[in-house]
């Protein structure tokens, strides 16, 4: 077994933290912070009517909190532990829903905190509770949720001591760092457990890359009765020491498709005896590009990309079958449904025109389509204020909307959500390549920042809610 379970171990999975606080009102449940590790999230659930008080901490108290947390995370022993976790995970990447060693490594780290853990998704995902608990009849719960751990199928091209030892697989999206940061937040919260006004539940989620692990976490009931969630993902486009996000729509809804066109093969010298699926596929691909250019409002962002075509191999034979496929994207979930309908209609009709038949597979079970990621304005504003106290107002940036997709979106459909990017760009250590590159590198100075950011968002939220309900 490549991971040493028992000393400083961890895993790329999604983490969630649940918090209960003592108040004089009926029990409030505040929900989940998801490190979408590829992120981190903070979820919050309220079971009764209350005013959300994100700014109840004075500016000086919030600044002091963030300073103490960041200084603690940057202590040499703590920082070294964060680096060890991240590198250990990086060396042994595992495919979605096959993260057995990673999962055991995470559980070992959680067990070292001395708290109870429970398994999810065939014991690949885990959660742990930290804090004081709550009295009968009152309480506030807050949850940190997904820290993702799935990998990218690339051969790592960066030569360094901790290069991936699983050939053809690598962590090229930062999930190794996401897990390390959220485990770091768990340790910071454990140190302050006597001061927590509630109980924090950390939840680690597997299977983020293309397989919708968040959807399965929700299906298992891991986030039932929660109202809010916070997520964090590394971003090599912005410098270390900065974070970015935006209120409202942020990331696209996305889905995959595979089209199969069947015709009648034959010799290239006698095309009249064939029903050419290559011609039908060619017209289909061209027609698909007209969906966005001629059927949608230019102000509504949508993308249809055909990324592969498979046909015959011989130069003198017209094949019987052609397969092609790609992805569809929209900044609204409704737009994604429209694209699915039109892709199906166009391919089937073009095939019929050329006397062929067609079938479409949107892979809704194997690679479930992702909805769009939409930030709740109040949750966004809370995390933004914490980020400004931690890093300075000028280092909390307004992120542009992009057509990338994230399975954090499943959480944002169910509860109030805020998803943030955390910068890793540093030319001095070659941390400049984009996500999913075989040359992807992370500046590990981001690890204590991410850990402190997670912990501060949770503590400040609990403090604000506790004061608001007294």
């Amino acid at each position: 077994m490549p991971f040493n379970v028992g000393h400083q171990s961890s895993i790329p999975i999604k983490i969630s933290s649940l918090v209960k606080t003592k108040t004089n009102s009926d029990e409030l449940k505040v929900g989940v912070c998801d490190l979408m590790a590829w992120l981190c999230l903070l979820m919050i659930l309220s079971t009764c009517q209350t005013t959300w008080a994100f700014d109840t901490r004075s500016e000086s108290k919030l600044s002091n909190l963030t300073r103490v947390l960041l200084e603690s995370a940057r202590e040499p022993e703590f920082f070294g532990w964060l680096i060890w976790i991240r590198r250990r995970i990086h060396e042994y990447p595992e495919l979605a829903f096959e993260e057995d060693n990673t999962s055991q490594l995470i559980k070992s780290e959680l067990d070292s905190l001395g708290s109870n853990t429970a398994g999810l998704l065939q014991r690949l995902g885990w959660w742990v509770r930290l804090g004081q608990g709550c009295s009968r009849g009152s309480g506030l719960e807050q949850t940190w949720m997904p820290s993702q751990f799935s990998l990218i199928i690339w051969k790592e091209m960066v030569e360094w001591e901790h290069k991936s030892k699983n050939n053809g697989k690598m962590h090229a999206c930062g999930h190794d760092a996401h897990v390390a940061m959220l485990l770091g937040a768990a340790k910071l919260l454990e140190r302050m457990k006597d001061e927590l006004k509630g109980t924090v539940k950390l939840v680690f989620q597997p299977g983020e890359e293309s397989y919708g692990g968040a959807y399965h976490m929700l299906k298992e009931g891991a986030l039932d009765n929660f109202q809010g969630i916070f997520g964090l993902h590394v971003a090599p486009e912005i410098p270390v020491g900065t974070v970015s996000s935006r209120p409202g729509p942020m990331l696209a809804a996305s889905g995959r498709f595979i089209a199969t066109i069947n015709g009648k093969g034959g010799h290239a010298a006698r095309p009249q005896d064939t029903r050419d699926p290559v011609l039908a596929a060619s017209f289909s691909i061209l027609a698909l590009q007209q969906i966005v250019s001629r059927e949608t409002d230019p102000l509504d962002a949508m993308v249809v990309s055909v990324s592969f075509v498979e046909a015959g191999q011989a130069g003198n034979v017209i094949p019987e079958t052609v397969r092609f496929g790609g992805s569809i994207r929209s900044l609204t979930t409704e737009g994604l449904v429209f694209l699915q309908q039109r892709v199906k209609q166009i391919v089937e009709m073009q095939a019929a025109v050329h006397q062929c038949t067609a079938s479409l597979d949107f892979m809704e079970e194997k690679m479930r389509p992702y909805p769009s990621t939409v930030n709740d304005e109040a949750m966004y504003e809370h995390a933004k204020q914490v980020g400004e106290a931690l890093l300075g107002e000028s280092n909390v940036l307004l992120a542009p909307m992009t057509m990338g997709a994230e399975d954090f979106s499943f959480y944002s459909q169910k509860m109030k959500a805020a998803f943030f990017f955390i910068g890793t760009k540093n030319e001095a250590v070659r941390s400049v390549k984009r996500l999913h590159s075989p040359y992807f590198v992370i500046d590990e100075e981001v690890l204590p920042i991410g850990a402190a950011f997670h912990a501060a968002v949770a503590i400040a939220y609990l403090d604000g809610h506790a004061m608001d309900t007294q």
Side-chain angles (χ1 to χ4, degrees), residues 28 44 50-58 140 378 381-382 385 457 459-470:
L28 299 174
I44 303 140
T50 183
T51 302
W52 285 31
F54 289 125
D55 57 351
T56 51
R57 258 187 186 268
S58 69
L140 182 69
E381 186 62 30
H382 169 64
Q385 290 176 7
V457 168
I459 295 169
Y461 187 88
L462 289 178
D463 284 358
H465 253 287
M467 293 177 66
D468 185 55
T469 55
Q470 288 177 352

Side-chain angles (χ1 to χ4, degrees), residues 17 19 23 73 105 112 139 145 163 171 226 229 313 339 375 383 452 455:
S17 57
V19 181
T23 69
L105 189 56
S112 71
M145 214 199 73
K163 179 179 178 179
H171 280 290
F226 293 111
I229 190 166
Q313 299 295 318
L339 290 178
N375 279 339

